[in-house]
Amino acid sequence: KMPASIPEADSRHRASAAFSLSFLSLVFSITAFSSSYWCEGTRKVAKPFCKGDTKGDLCIRFNSPEGNNSQAVQYIWETGDDKFVEKKFHAGIWYSCEEMINEDGEKCRSFISLTPASDRGVLWLSIVAELLYVVLLLTGNILMSVEICYYSSVIDGLKINAFSAVVTVLAGLLGMVAHMMYTTVFQMTVNLGPEDWRPHTWDYGWSYGLAWTSFACCMAAAVTTINKYTKTILEFKHKRKKLERSFRIQYKFPD
């Protein structure tokens, strides 16, 4: 009895590991999809004129009452970096936000509206692929949880296992395509987007890393599920051969 229970326990452990990886992938993907920190960076903008009693290094004050004339404006753009300030920004699939000068809070705009018209179709494809990625991950999680709790038939469990493996692999492929499409769209927006948005420096943020971590967990769950399915099939074939061998022995040498 003890040796027979070891493969079953190992199968349960593999199923639990696959479910845990798939669940982590789902949580990471939803978190990344809803956040706006796929890319972070800074924008260099000219310091505004100080208004009223405003003081500090983030605005320009002139002693002359004519300080706000066209010559003063020209002076701002010709004096170099000391007349500019860097504003932090972060962008995601849905919107882009940047900090405000001399004020608390952030100003947010729809990232779709910032994307060049020629690339909006690719961005929408990326959004649809991300949504399908989340839906397929959720479906895979449900199937894996049913498989863990479903004990009445090993054959039915194998069918569920095979279907969950296919769904998880498809989810991983969709996630990879969606992340790559968004990367392309963002780089095109950096080069061709509105002048009042283009970043001075930028890099990928924690949401982008979380999205790819979700993809890695998804593929690890798919590999674990496929491995479990393959191992179960091989065990069935091995037991069948042993059974056939015992029947042949009994037929040749009956008691």
Side-chain angles (χ1 to χ4, degrees):
K1 289 184 179 179
M2 193 65 183
S5 65
I6 292 176
E8 184 179 350
D10 181 63
S11 179
R12 292 280 179 82
H13 290 153
R14 288 174 185 271
S16 299
F19 174 78
S20 300
L21 288 167
S22 182
F23 182 76
L24 275 177
S25 178
L26 178 63
V27 173
F28 290 163
S29 65
I30 293 174
T31 304
F33 186 59
S34 58
S35 69
S36 61
Y37 286 85
W38 285 61
C39 299
E40 300 177 78
T42 58
R43 287 189 60 241
K44 184 179 286 188
V45 296
K47 294 179 181 179
F49 291 109
C50 296
K51 296 180 180 179
D53 296 330
T54 305
K55 296 181 180 180
D57 298 329
L58 299 181
C59 64
I60 300 172
R61 177 174 292 280
F62 291 94
N63 294 326
S64 169
E66 301 295 328
N68 288 347
N69 61 20
S70 60
Q71 290 181 350
V73 173
Q74 184 68 21
Y75 170 77
I76 292 173
W77 293 97
E78 290 179 355
T79 52
D81 289 342
D82 59 325
K83 298 304 179 184
F84 290 87
V85 62
E86 289 189 344
K87 296 198 301 183
K88 294 181 180 179
F89 87 98
H90 54 90
I93 292 177
W94 298 107
Y95 50 92
S96 173
C97 299
E98 62 184 46
E99 63 180 351
M100 301 177 70
I101 302 177
N102 293 321
E103 293 182 34
D104 295 329
E106 295 180 326
K107 176 185 176 183
C108 296
R109 291 181 282 179
S110 168
F111 184 73
I112 298 171
S113 65
L114 299 171
T115 308
S118 58
D119 295 311
R120 283 179 190 167
V122 180
L123 179 60
W124 279 112
L125 282 175
S126 173
I127 292 172
V128 171
E130 286 284 354
L131 286 171
L132 288 174
Y133 174 53
V134 173
V135 170
L136 287 174
L137 279 176
L138 180 60
T139 304
N141 270 268
I142 293 172
L143 289 170
M144 289 177 188
S145 62
V146 169
E147 181 193 353
I148 292 173
C149 302
Y150 196 74
Y151 303 123
S152 61
S153 171
V154 178
I155 299 299
D156 289 343
L158 271 176
K159 291 178 181 178
I160 296 173
N161 183 248
F163 192 52
S164 63
V166 172
V167 168
T168 309
V169 169
L170 287 176
L173 293 175
L174 272 173
M176 179 183 66
V177 171
H179 303 344
M180 293 176 67
M181 283 194 294
Y182 176 79
T183 304
T184 302
V185 170
F186 185 83
Q187 291 175 350
M188 293 299 294
T189 307
V190 168
N191 295 325
L192 304 174
E195 289 285 348
D196 64 343
W197 177 85
R198 293 184 193 177
H200 179 62
T201 60
W202 67 275
D203 202 352
Y204 296 110
W206 63 265
S207 295
Y208 188 79
L210 200 64
W212 283 108
T213 303
S214 170
F215 165 76
C217 289
C218 175
M219 296 312 295
V223 170
T224 305
T225 306
I226 293 171
N227 181 266
K228 176 181 176 295
Y229 177 83
T230 305
K231 188 172 182 180
T232 306
I233 292 294
L234 291 175
E235 286 175 356
F236 267 115
K237 289 183 177 180
H238 180 66
K239 288 179 181 179
R240 183 179 177 181
K241 287 182 179 179
K242 285 179 66 177
L243 191 62
E244 289 176 350
R245 192 180 298 113
S246 65
F247 278 144
R248 282 199 298 267
I249 293 173
Q250 287 180 9
Y251 180 75
K252 290 180 180 179
F253 306 101
D255 292 336

